[in-house]
Amino acid sequence: MLTRSVLCSLALAGIGSAQSLPHIQTGGLVQNTSRYETRLRVDNGTYGPEIEEVHYYYDQWPIGIAVASDGRIFTTYTRGDYDYTLGVVVNETAEEPYPNRALNLPPDQLNTSWHGIPFGVGTKGAFISVQAVYITSQTASRPETLWVLDTGRPTIHNNNGDPSMPYAQPGGPKLIAISLSNNTIYRTYTFPADVHYPDSYLNDLRFDLRSNVSDTSGEGIAYLVDSSNEGRPGFIMVDLGTGESWRRLTQDPSVLRGPEDVPSYQGHPFYLRQKGSPTQWQLEGLDGIQLSPDGKTMYYSPLSTNYLWSVPTANLREHGNALAEIHAHANVSNHGQRGGNANGFEGDSNGLIYQLMPEHNAVYYYDPADGQTHGFVRDPRILWPDGASNGEDGYMYININQLPYQPAWNNGQDLRSYPGAILRLAYQAEAEAYAASTPSNPTASSSTALPSMDMNKFATSFQNFGKTVSSSVSPFAQRSQQWIREQTGNVGEKTELPHDYIELETRIDALKQTHQKLLAATSQYANEAYDYPPNIRESFQDLGKSISEKVNLLSKANSAAEAQAAFTAPPSAKPQPKTFPHAIARASLAGSQSLTMATPQGSTEPDPLAQGLEKFAIAEEKVGEARLEQDEKIQGRFLSGWSTTLNQSLKAADKARTAVTNARLSLDAAKGRAAASGKHEESYTEEQRKAIEQAEDVFVEKVDEATSVMRNVLDTPEPLRNLAELAKAQAEFHQRSGEILDEVAKNISDIQMAQETSYRQAREGQ
């Protein structure tokens, strides 16, 4: 009974702890480890086509992805403070701005304000915050085109670090067409105010470029997603010939977010925990869309529901008819539940609708032929698939970005772990097998189908891509196979890492955790109002002028009216700081003014308390200014240095460690292939021995490189130097504050003693 009671107490304590957790839980997320051994039947977390790791993200977390016919991979990053928002992959671990850096607005030019209200900029000729990209093949009248969907709404943070997304200005949200033959923009489409609302959010896009599509100019049409969190999601259509745009299905039940939806990611229930806001549910509505091969049907789904919907595209295109919206609502079809939330969509020439399933680390597909959803691929590495693109090489490319662990959803805490990744899997072989098994599929055999992929064309172009991204894709496949075997327990001994190397890894992990924890606390120094009490309610007038300015104006007043006018004088251009000392100063001066105004007319003696409060207000303002000086020093001398160590030095160490892991996987894969037929080492072929020796050389080289990088990171005195600057800045502030307060305390004591003397004299004279 005692044991049971203790266990129950521990369980209840664990429940209490979980209830107060400020972010999604991360138990079960691992790197570089193997599973336990058991005789029980287990879920190994995988099925479907083999997955290859094609690219790793170390600098910015990706969102959208598109693969061109020449093999180039384009990716997007919503902003934020990211350096650029549209990029192209240049090798296994790096991307660069596309088509150039100049077209990617720098972070300090993304926002503006009007009467204190923030807005995204209205720049039409450059990228602000790109959400999605899509590629259409070359036609007789249009080059192969990269279509870029710019939301015009970058994320910003207030003084408390709370995230928000400013409203969009006309010109900021846009659809841009880039010719992939010369990497230049050839058309930009913007939207009128009755189509794109200030709170709209452009999320995804699909195209029909056929000339015979109804209700268009004959130059093609774009179908865009407005997934507005603020409550007005729907479809936006753009006639690519005329530039005219219109909306359909705005706030239809099929495009709205699911009520109080609680998904589970990696086994953990998820609630939206945005800093500065109450815990709630995911807010996003309409998200994934996919056009049928014949262009007649649009499949779609909100992120936070489990249902798949469709609508005839004729109803989306219809405009100029007063009943068009009613017709569209009336023709929405519900295809039932699919087994979980879905993010982005893709499709193939057989009409299969691939749906990215972040709750299951999987991709499902809906088959219009049988009306059912089926599993396609599942893998533990698919930690939030956020975009997919079917390339002409027959592979599906998927961006992985660990989105549920981003700081915007977890009270400002970044729980992700680099690298992000691009995974790929061979979908075309599966699609061909499907087509062979269903020759009567009406969707696939339609004579009006959209242009299909030219597989022969890709044979040469993918080789060109290989020169850019990697000399061979086989190492990806080998490492992926080896990793899966290790995770499922289907592998022999693993190559051991040197003991010294493992110790360095442990120290690096401890250093990284130390930086993350201290930065989480000290980052408040970048927030001016970190000590500003939430219960204080100050008006715009209160914050209008500094204490010194107000005291100076009051000193020149010759009457109560003039004093009141001075106290309520028009504000300065810059609002006054919102710090605790400044708030005390403003409250003290307001009290001094109230007492002064209440002094009887004709009195020649100033109110002693009013005098003391005025002096105290001036002193507290000086303390507040000293605090701001401290904060500026800490930001420049400590936060900057520790952030650099975390985001550059420690990231470089993580990158080097990943290279070691990849080299070890390649080595063990080579050993595994040699021993696959039960051979002993003595009977390996010369080719097998050579492959193992080469893999060993690479492994040793990567271990040496990573060891050197980690030692450099651990041995540098820079973190201690930064820490000393933190302590120094705090010491200077406290010393200066003490001096200011000591002086004002003496001044107030003098006033108090003078008042006591006057009081005694008055009493003695009675």
Side-chain angles (χ1 to χ4, degrees):
M1 291 298 294
L2 176 62
T3 302
R4 182 175 180 182
S5 299
V6 170
L7 290 175
C8 289
S9 299
L10 290 173
L12 290 172
I15 291 173
S17 173
Q19 288 174 339
S20 62
L21 198 69
H23 52 71
I24 187 173
Q25 298 183 57
T26 57
L29 293 177
V30 297
Q31 282 182 285
N32 305 329
T33 187
S34 59
R35 291 175 184 263
Y36 52 83
E37 295 184 2
T38 178
R39 68 180 61 189
L40 299 179
R41 187 181 189 184
V42 298
D43 175 6
N44 68 14
T46 66
Y47 62 70
E50 181 179 301
I51 284 182
E52 302 174 14
E53 298 171 14
V54 174
H55 179 73
Y56 303 103
Y57 295 97
Y58 281 97
D59 299 316
Q60 301 184 159
W61 290 100
I63 297 291
I65 185 172
V67 182
S69 64
D70 62 4
R72 284 183 291 172
I73 301 178
F74 300 93
T75 184
T76 72
Y77 320 84
T78 52
R79 304 202 287 183
D81 55 2
Y82 284 162
D83 190 32
Y84 55 93
T85 185
L86 176 61
V88 60
V89 170
V90 295
N91 58 43
E92 185 177 338
T93 59
E95 316 92 56
E96 64 183 16
Y98 181 84
N100 53 57
R101 186 171 294 277
L103 283 175
N104 287 262
L105 284 179
D108 60 357
Q109 296 181 19
L110 302 180
N111 298 287
T112 184
S113 63
W114 180 78
H115 291 291
I117 302 173
F119 285 88
V121 296
T123 306
K124 178 181 177 181
F127 305 132
I128 301 169
S129 183
V130 175
Q131 169 75 19
V133 283
Y134 195 82
I135 291 175
T136 55
S137 302
Q138 180 177 349
T139 66
S141 60
R142 192 184 298 273
E144 182 179 17
T145 299
L146 176 69
W147 297 92
V148 180
L149 196 59
D150 191 343
T151 69
R153 298 187 65 188
T155 298
I156 63 171
H157 295 82
N158 65 12
N159 290 334
N160 294 321
D162 305 335
S164 64
M165 190 173 289
Y167 287 149
Q169 287 194 76
K174 51 191 172 287
L175 173 65
I176 298 174
I178 300 178
S179 169
L180 291 181
S181 63
N182 57 18
N183 302 314
T184 59
I185 296 174
Y186 69 85
R187 186 77 185 264
T188 299
Y189 303 85
T190 57
F191 311 95
D194 61 346
V195 172
H196 188 288
Y197 308 131
D199 59 2
S200 290
Y201 188 88
L202 298 174
N203 190 300
D204 210 346
L205 65 171
R206 292 296 184 269
F207 296 85
D208 190 342
L209 302 183
R210 294 172 300 163
S211 60
N212 61 345
V213 177
S214 63
D215 286 303
T216 71
S217 63
E219 296 184 39
I221 187 169
Y223 301 94
L224 311 181
V225 167
D226 177 356
S227 64
S228 172
N229 283 6
E230 288 86 348
R232 291 190 286 182
F235 284 93
I236 294 175
M237 274 57 64
V238 183
D239 188 310
L240 300 178
T242 65
E244 182 185 6
S245 57
W246 60 95
R247 298 183 66 95
R248 284 291 168 265
L249 294 183
T250 298
Q251 293 186 308
D252 183 85
S254 65
V255 304
L256 296 178
R257 59 177 178 256
E260 302 176 3
D261 180 62
V262 181
S264 290
Y265 302 124
Q266 290 70 61
H268 299 294
F270 174 82
Y271 292 88
L272 186 64
R273 301 175 175 96
Q274 289 186 316
K275 192 174 181 183
S277 300
T279 298
Q280 55 187 311
W281 302 274
Q282 176 59 254
L283 302 175
E284 190 169 318
L286 179 60
D287 192 321
I289 60 171
Q290 182 58 38
L291 203 56
S292 63
D294 61 10
K296 293 181 178 180
T297 305
M298 179 64 73
Y299 293 91
Y300 62 93
S301 171
L303 171 63
S304 52
T305 73
N306 298 337
Y307 288 87
L308 177 68
W309 305 82
S310 72
V311 65
T313 54
N315 290 119
L316 297 178
R317 293 192 303 271
E318 184 181 14
H319 60 291
N321 181 349
L323 298 177
E325 186 69 8
I326 291 178
H327 294 163
H329 284 268
N331 283 291
V332 168
S333 297
N334 185 343
H335 299 279
Q337 293 197 26
R338 62 172 157 254
N341 290 179
N343 190 18
F345 284 15
E346 248 293 7
D348 65 20
S349 58
N350 295 300
L352 301 182
I353 308 301
Y354 297 95
Q355 302 165 81
L356 306 184
M357 307 292 292
E359 288 189 87
H360 303 295
N361 305 338
V363 179
Y364 292 177
Y365 70 87
Y366 172 76
D367 184 354
D370 66 13
Q372 298 182 75
T373 296
H374 307 266
F376 179 54
V377 66
R378 181 172 175 236
D379 191 283
R381 289 168 288 179
I382 305 179
L383 295 181
W384 192 281
D386 207 329
S389 177
N390 286 345
E392 293 192 6
D393 57 347
Y395 283 86
M396 177 185 292
Y397 292 77
I398 305 173
N399 260 343
I400 305 301
N401 65 11
Q402 303 173 39
L403 200 68
Y405 306 95
Q406 65 170 319
W409 290 2
N410 291 283
N411 277 325
Q413 297 189 56
D414 194 346
L415 305 172
R416 297 169 295 186
S417 177
Y418 278 109
I422 297 176
L423 307 179
R424 77 169 195 169
L425 57 141
Y427 85 94
Q428 188 64 28
E430 302 284 331
E432 289 172 356
Y434 171 87
S437 67
T438 56
S440 60
N441 184 348
T443 306
S445 61
S446 172
S447 60
T448 59
L450 298 173
S452 61
M453 292 180 295
D454 182 357
M455 298 303 295
N456 294 326
K457 172 184 173 185
F458 190 84
T460 302
S461 60
F462 186 69
Q463 295 175 4
N464 296 332
F465 168 66
K467 296 175 183 177
T468 303
V469 176
S470 174
S471 59
S472 171
V473 297
S474 58
F476 297 126
Q478 293 166 12
R479 290 199 299 268
S480 299
Q481 293 167 3
Q482 181 67 19
W483 186 88
I484 292 173
R485 283 195 292 268
E486 291 180 4
Q487 297 303 300
T488 56
N490 298 319
V491 69
E493 293 185 3
K494 296 193 299 183
T495 299
E496 292 187 2
L497 291 162
H499 178 70
D500 291 347
Y501 178 88
I502 295 174
E503 287 185 343
L504 287 173
E505 283 196 312
T506 302
R507 291 176 62 195
I508 284 290
D509 289 338
L511 182 63
K512 183 177 181 179
Q513 187 178 46
T514 299
H515 274 69
Q516 289 173 333
K517 285 187 175 181
L518 192 54
L519 280 172
T522 55
S523 62
Q524 289 299 312
Y525 283 113
N527 168 23
E528 178 186 280
Y530 63 76
D531 63 352
Y532 187 75
N535 62 307
I536 293 180
R537 296 292 182 265
E538 293 188 297
S539 68
F540 185 65
Q541 200 70 48
D542 294 331
L543 300 170
K545 287 189 177 295
S546 70
I547 299 300
S548 302
E549 289 175 316
K550 289 181 178 179
V551 169
N552 182 51
L553 290 171
L554 288 170
S555 67
K556 299 176 182 178
N558 295 316
S559 65
E562 289 181 1
Q564 183 63 28
F567 203 75
T568 60
S572 305
K574 181 181 178 182
Q576 295 309 299
K578 295 181 73 172
T579 73
F580 191 29
H582 283 93
I584 293 175
R586 288 188 286 267
S588 299
L589 187 61
S592 173
Q593 176 60 16
S594 295
L595 293 172
T596 300
M597 296 289 289
T599 301
Q601 291 186 355
S603 175
T604 59
E605 294 296 326
D607 184 284
L609 181 55
Q611 282 183 297
L613 285 169
E614 181 178 302
K615 291 182 179 296
F616 185 60
I618 295 173
E620 281 292 328
E621 182 181 51
K622 291 178 180 178
V623 171
E625 294 302 317
R627 203 222 76 182
L628 293 176
E629 290 178 12
Q630 168 205 243
D631 297 352
E632 187 174 349
K633 290 176 182 178
I634 290 174
Q635 291 178 58
R637 301 175 187 176
F638 173 75
L639 289 179
S640 177
W642 271 52
S643 296
T644 298
T645 300
L646 182 63
N647 296 323
Q648 295 184 16
S649 301
L650 285 168
K651 188 180 291 186
D654 286 343
K655 189 174 181 179
R657 291 168 64 183
T658 298
V660 170
T661 300
N662 290 339
R664 184 195 61 76
L665 289 170
S666 297
L667 172 57
D668 289 346
K671 291 179 179 177
R673 288 193 302 275
S677 57
K679 294 180 181 179
H680 293 291
E681 189 173 341
E682 309 85 52
S683 58
Y684 289 171
T685 66
E686 184 62 29
E687 183 180 356
Q688 289 172 333
R689 292 178 185 277
K690 186 176 181 180
I692 293 174
E693 289 174 0
Q694 290 177 341
E696 285 177 340
D697 290 342
V698 173
F699 175 66
V700 171
E701 176 188 349
K702 296 303 180 184
V703 169
D704 288 344
E705 290 177 358
T707 298
S708 176
V709 171
M710 288 192 288
R711 280 178 176 159
N712 287 338
V713 173
L714 292 166
D715 293 344
T716 178
E718 195 61 27
L720 265 178
R721 185 180 295 113
N722 300 145
L723 188 61
E725 292 290 349
L726 171 62
K728 181 180 177 182
Q730 290 181 329
E732 291 174 350
F733 163 63
H734 290 297
Q735 180 180 354
R736 176 63 179 145
S737 298
E739 293 171 352
I740 294 169
L741 294 174
D742 279 344
E743 182 180 354
V744 74
K746 293 175 183 176
N747 293 336
I748 294 175
S749 293
D750 291 343
I751 297 173
Q752 178 245 333
M753 292 177 64
Q755 186 183 24
E756 283 187 0
T757 300
S758 297
Y759 177 75
R760 285 196 298 269
Q761 290 175 348
R763 296 277 293 180
E764 291 169 358
Q766 288 181 350

